[in-house]
């Protein structure tokens, strides 16, 4: 069987995408003559980029079989030895090196799609430019006065205070910390300090998703009244946040934005929340769209899940700083003290153990009977439904008896089921059906109708006209005085706290008693039920479990398999990137 035929069968089995295969065949045609090494290289590079890697790290697969485990009868692919592979690539007319315009770029032992090599180079150049700049001039007396007001009880070593000083004096600043470490509270104080220095600064607040932008807006609005500064300064602090796509100006059907290097944003300061979710392409386009004098402040949790798209920019930058890049280390502040979870909090203990990769310690805390905040139950596919049914009923039944839409939304959002996968016995689809069955039997739910009273929905496509964004959650309710169902969404700017939308106007959406951990990023719930598969999977990683666990404020219930959880905590998300080598 030829390599082309094998790759075609791999595509039919879903191991490669058809796009991977077509790209490989296109590159081979450009090469001019049939060449299995070039074909395999192009297909693998496309495949790894689609899996979130910036490049194909040749030593990762050189001299090995791919995939390492194959559950079908297809033959595995034999990857060339590293030295032979590099020589063959360098001899190909479709493979270039630095500053050459070719479909594939080989830099040392990393093979890139040209576009992603270019993104990485451009991002590194922007960051290096910022890091080489001297500290910005500030009125030190005014700064010290502001620090004393805004951080009245902080000692000089306080990390939030340190972050504020660095953000005021530098053009580029990263503030990383877990849930409850005060990232938003810190950035509000930073904005106050900046505006006290320069009252007419133009400031933009943004996040990668509509949901994250809305949460940032709410958090900023809630934090401003608590600031210890004069009213006039408080009034100048912006609270409106937008998505990155809206900030840069999306073009329909185009990967390019209205704002770019040739048409930069007018803002003097740009603050990006949930920066761990920003992929390489978007981060590069953002930095290109900043005017030369602008400041960039990134907020995020380096231990959370990375972007679905290619790149782990925030994590890479934190890793580079800690590996000895002093200039970058001077722009990074890690907030470690949690104001949500104290040292004895069960949720906090589990999260910290997972963050450190201590599987036994994490399971021990989960299983200890004296911690009311956390609980663990061992389940299989056969026992799952019976094990979770009572908790599902207790978690959701209260919102169905609410008298007003805002009360229903508030009660519903206190509890959420998070799953690692969408499909299978432990996936979102199965759990959503189970919740409907339980509430139908015990709480009067009528899921046989499409727009049944109490149906929770999550928007899956942005609709800027309706101000509904991917990840927004609402409820279908039949209210008094109306004989038709309405969709209600939280709206703090509305007099009654909610906004009503006719169901037939809703953009794409889905039922959301349960949601994937990926979709829950940027959200918090009082009580979280985490449902994990009983089978080992490469999808289960330390970052995934950490993200799911830290969505809980007060109570965490975990249903899973001890062996699977142990293995997942030991598995890190490893994405190939050249930033550590390029950003020197």
């Amino acid at each position: 069987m030829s390599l082309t035929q094998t790759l075609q069968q791999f595509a039919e089995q879903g191991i490669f995408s058809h796009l991977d295969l077509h790209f490989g065949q296109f590159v081979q045609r450009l090469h001019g003559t049939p060449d299995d090494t070039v074909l395999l290289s192009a297909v693998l590079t496309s495949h790894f980029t689609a899996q979130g890697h910036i490049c194909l790290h040749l030593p990762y697969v050189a001299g090995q079989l791919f995939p390492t485990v194959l559950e079908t009868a297809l033959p595995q692919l034999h990857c060339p030895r590293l030295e032979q592979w590099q020589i063959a690539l360098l001899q190909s007319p479709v493979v270039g090196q630095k500053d050459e315009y070719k479909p594939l770029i080989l830099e040392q032992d990393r093979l890139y799609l040209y576009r992603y090599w270019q993104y990485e180079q451009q991002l590194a150049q922007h960051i290096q430019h910022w890091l080489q700049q001297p500290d910005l001039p500030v009125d030190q007396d005014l700064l010290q006065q502001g620090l004393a007001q805004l951080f009245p009880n902080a000692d000089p070593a306080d990390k939030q205070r340190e972050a504020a000083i660095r953000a005021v004096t530098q053009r580029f600043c990263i503030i990383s910390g877990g849930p409850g470490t005060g990232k938003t509270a810190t950035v509000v104080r930073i904005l106050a300090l900046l505006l006290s220095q320069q009252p007419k600064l133009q400031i933009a607040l943004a996040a990668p998703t509509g949901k994250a932008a809305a949460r940032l807006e709410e958090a900023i609005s809630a934090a401003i009244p608590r600031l210890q500064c004069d009213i006039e300064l408080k009034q100048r602090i912006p609270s409106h946040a937008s998505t990155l796509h809206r900030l840069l100006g999306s073009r329909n059907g185009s990967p390019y934005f209205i704002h770019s290097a040739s048409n930069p944003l007018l803002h003097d300061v740009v603050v990006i929340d949930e920066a761990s979710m920003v992929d390489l392409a978007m981060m590069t386009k953002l930095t290109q769209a900043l005017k030369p004098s602008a400041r960039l402040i990134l907020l995020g949790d380096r231990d959370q899940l990375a972007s679905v798209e290619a790149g782990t920019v925030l994590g890479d930058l934190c890793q580079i700083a800690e590996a000895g890049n002093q200039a970058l280390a001077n722009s990074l502040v890690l907030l470690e003290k949690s104001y949500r979870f104290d040292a004895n909090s069960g949720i906090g203990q589990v999260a910290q153990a997972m963050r450190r990769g201590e599987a036994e310690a994490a399971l021990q805390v989960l299983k200890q009977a004296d911690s009311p905040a956390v609980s663990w139950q061992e389940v299989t596919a056969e026992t799952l439904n019976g094990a979770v049914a009572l908790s599902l009923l207790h978690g959701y039944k209260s919102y169905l008896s609410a008298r007003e839409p805002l009360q229903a939304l508030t009660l519903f959002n206190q509890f959420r089921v998070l799953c690692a996968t969408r499909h299978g016995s432990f996936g979102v689809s199965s759990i959503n059906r189970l919740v409907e069955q339980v509430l139908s039997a015990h709480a009067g739910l009528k899921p046989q109708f499409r727009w049944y009273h109490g149906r929770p929905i999550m928007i899956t496509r942005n609709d800027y006209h309706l101000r509904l964004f991917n990840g927004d959650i609402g409820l279908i309710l039949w209210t008094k005085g109306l004989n038709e169902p309405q969709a209600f969404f939280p709206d703090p700017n509305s007099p009654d706290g909610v906004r009503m939308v006719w169901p037939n106007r809703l953009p794409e959406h889905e039922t959301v008693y349960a949601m994937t951990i990926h979709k829950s990023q940027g959200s918090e719930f009082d009580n979280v039920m985490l449902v994990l598969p009983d089978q080992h999977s490469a999808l289960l990683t330390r970052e995934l479990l950490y993200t799911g666990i830290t969505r809980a404020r007060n109570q965490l219930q975990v249903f899973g398999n001890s062996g699977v959880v142990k293995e997942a905590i030991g598995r890190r998300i490893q994405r190939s990137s050249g930033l550590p080598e390029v950003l020197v």
Side-chain angles (χ1 to χ4, degrees):
M1 184 185 298
S2 69
L3 177 61
T4 299
Q5 291 172 321
T6 302
L7 292 174
Q8 181 67 51
Q9 291 190 349
F10 271 45
E12 291 170 359
Q13 294 290 328
I15 298 169
F16 293 130
S17 72
H18 288 285
L19 179 61
D20 298 334
L21 180 59
H22 290 313
F23 175 72
Q25 293 169 337
F26 168 72
V27 170
Q28 189 178 51
R29 287 196 298 273
L30 291 179
H31 180 80
T33 58
D35 187 306
D36 282 357
T37 299
V38 169
L39 174 60
L40 179 62
S41 300
V43 170
L44 285 174
T45 304
S46 176
H47 169 73
F48 274 85
T49 302
Q51 301 306 308
H53 300 266
I54 300 304
C55 56
L56 169 62
H57 189 215
L58 296 178
Y60 180 74
V61 293
Q64 300 180 45
L65 296 174
F66 182 88
T68 53
V69 178
L70 190 60
E71 298 178 355
T72 71
L74 294 175
Q76 291 169 286
L77 301 173
H78 291 264
C79 297
R81 293 178 183 175
L82 180 59
E83 186 176 349
Q84 294 174 333
W85 203 346
Q86 290 173 310
I87 291 172
L89 290 171
L90 289 172
Q91 293 174 344
S92 172
V94 297
V95 179
Q97 293 182 276
K98 188 172 183 177
D99 296 327
E100 290 187 288
Y101 185 66
K102 300 288 182 68
L104 297 172
I105 298 293
L106 179 65
E107 186 159 347
Q108 298 178 21
D109 53 11
R110 305 184 305 276
L111 187 62
Y112 295 82
L113 302 179
Y114 176 84
R115 183 163 52 115
Y116 283 90
W117 174 83
Q118 187 180 46
Y119 284 148
E120 190 173 83
Q121 294 291 317
Q122 291 171 338
L123 179 61
Q125 288 169 9
H126 281 97
I127 293 175
Q128 284 174 328
H129 173 74
W130 286 321
L131 298 180
Q132 291 166 359
Q133 301 301 306
D135 283 357
L136 295 166
V138 296
D139 184 326
Q140 286 294 338
D141 291 338
L142 199 57
L143 176 59
Q144 293 304 318
Q145 179 184 339
L147 290 170
Q149 281 185 322
L150 296 166
F151 299 91
N153 302 315
D155 62 57
D158 180 81
K159 289 294 185 180
Q160 292 188 4
R161 186 178 185 275
E162 179 186 338
I165 294 172
R166 295 197 188 186
V168 171
T169 58
Q170 299 176 1
R171 292 206 186 279
F172 180 59
C173 182
I174 302 171
I175 303 173
S176 177
T181 53
K183 296 187 293 294
T184 306
T186 302
V187 84
V188 171
R189 294 170 182 173
I190 289 170
L191 298 181
L193 291 171
L194 288 170
L195 287 166
S196 68
Q197 295 275 332
Q198 298 175 263
K200 295 185 179 180
L201 278 178
Q202 296 294 310
I203 299 171
L205 306 174
T209 67
K211 179 178 63 175
R215 291 202 68 249
L216 174 62
E217 193 169 295
E218 292 167 9
I220 295 282
S221 298
I224 290 174
R226 298 195 294 267
L227 289 179
Q228 300 297 315
C229 62
D230 63 70
I231 295 176
E232 183 183 351
L233 180 56
K234 291 181 183 180
Q235 291 174 341
R236 291 204 302 269
I237 298 174
S239 60
H240 172 70
S242 70
T243 63
L244 279 168
H245 282 82
R246 196 157 202 184
L247 174 68
L248 296 177
S250 296
R251 296 179 186 271
N252 287 335
S254 170
Y256 301 103
F257 294 96
I258 293 171
H259 291 288
S260 63
S262 60
N263 181 31
L265 294 162
L266 298 178
H267 301 90
D268 303 298
V269 181
V270 175
V271 178
I272 306 300
D273 196 16
E274 298 290 350
S276 65
M277 298 167 63
V278 183
D279 61 89
L280 174 67
M282 178 59 78
M283 191 70 80
T284 303
K285 291 171 183 177
L286 169 66
T287 58
Q288 288 177 318
L290 298 177
K291 63 183 182 181
S293 61
R295 305 169 191 254
L296 178 62
I297 301 173
L298 302 179
L299 308 176
D301 184 350
R302 63 175 180 172
D303 296 308
Q304 267 191 207
L305 283 167
S307 159
V308 175
E309 304 297 332
T312 55
V313 176
L314 184 73
D316 284 348
L317 293 178
C318 292
Q319 182 180 353
I320 294 166
E322 293 188 310
N325 186 312
Q326 192 57 48
L328 192 55
N330 289 336
S331 296
L332 169 67
V333 180
L334 301 177
L335 304 181
E336 297 176 335
K337 180 181 178 181
S338 176
Y339 296 89
R340 183 187 308 165
F341 308 126
D342 61 36
N344 299 315
S345 161
I347 298 173
Q349 288 179 5
V350 174
Q352 289 304 316
M354 282 197 174
R355 191 174 64 84
R356 295 189 295 263
E358 299 170 356
E360 293 288 353
L363 281 168
Q364 183 178 352
V365 177
L366 281 171
K367 294 178 179 181
Q368 64 187 17
D370 59 345
S371 177
V374 297
S375 65
W376 165 270
Q377 188 163 343
E378 197 92 11
V379 291
T380 64
E382 291 72 27
T383 63
L384 175 66
N385 288 6
V388 302
L390 187 59
S391 293
L392 293 175
L393 180 61
H394 286 166
Y396 282 130
K397 68 177 182 180
S398 61
Y399 86 94
L400 291 171
S401 58
R403 294 177 177 271
E404 300 295 336
L406 180 60
Q407 182 189 22
L409 284 163
T410 301
L411 291 172
F412 177 77
N413 284 321
Q414 289 176 351
F415 175 73
R416 190 70 80 252
V417 184
L418 303 182
C419 302
T421 61
R422 289 191 63 84
H423 305 293
S425 301
F426 295 82
V428 166
S429 299
S430 294
I431 299 299
N432 275 327
R433 287 194 297 269
L434 177 61
V435 177
E436 288 181 331
Q437 292 168 10
V438 170
L439 295 182
S440 175
H442 302 284
L445 201 74
K446 298 179 179 179
Q448 65 268 31
F449 301 105
R450 181 184 182 187
W451 303 118
Y452 63 81
H453 177 76
R455 181 190 171 197
I457 56 171
M458 180 169 63
I459 302 301
T460 57
R461 181 178 56 81
N462 293 341
D463 187 319
Y464 290 101
H465 180 70
L466 290 175
R467 291 182 295 121
L468 292 175
F469 304 102
N470 187 3
D472 284 354
I473 291 176
L475 289 174
I476 301 296
L477 300 173
W478 292 68
T479 58
K480 291 181 179 179
L482 286 174
N483 293 322
E484 296 182 84
Q486 300 291 329
F488 291 89
F489 294 86
D491 186 351
N493 298 318
S494 173
D496 53 3
V498 296
R499 184 156 50 93
M500 186 177 71
V501 179
W502 291 101
N504 61 2
R505 295 192 63 199
L506 288 170
E508 294 172 18
H509 58 275
E510 59 188 27
T511 301
V512 68
Y513 291 105
M515 62 197 301
T516 62
I517 296 172
H518 274 92
K519 281 287 190 180
S520 74
Q521 280 186 275
S523 298
E524 297 171 357
F525 309 98
D526 290 342
N527 183 353
V528 165
M529 176 191 289
L530 190 58
V531 177
L532 302 173
D534 63 349
Q535 300 293 320
H536 299 282
S537 168
L539 295 174
L540 296 175
T541 63
R542 184 187 307 176
E543 291 84 357
L544 186 80
L545 298 191
Y546 172 84
T547 301
I549 281 168
T550 54
R551 299 311 91 199
R553 292 193 193 99
N554 303 323
Q555 191 171 7
L556 171 70
Q557 305 170 71
V558 183
F559 294 83
N561 174 278
S562 298
V564 171
V565 169
K566 284 182 184 178
E567 185 186 79
I569 294 174
R571 184 185 294 115
R572 301 297 306 268
I573 293 176
Q574 298 292 341
R575 291 187 176 180
S576 299
S577 165
L579 268 180
E581 287 76 20
V582 178
L583 196 60
V584 295

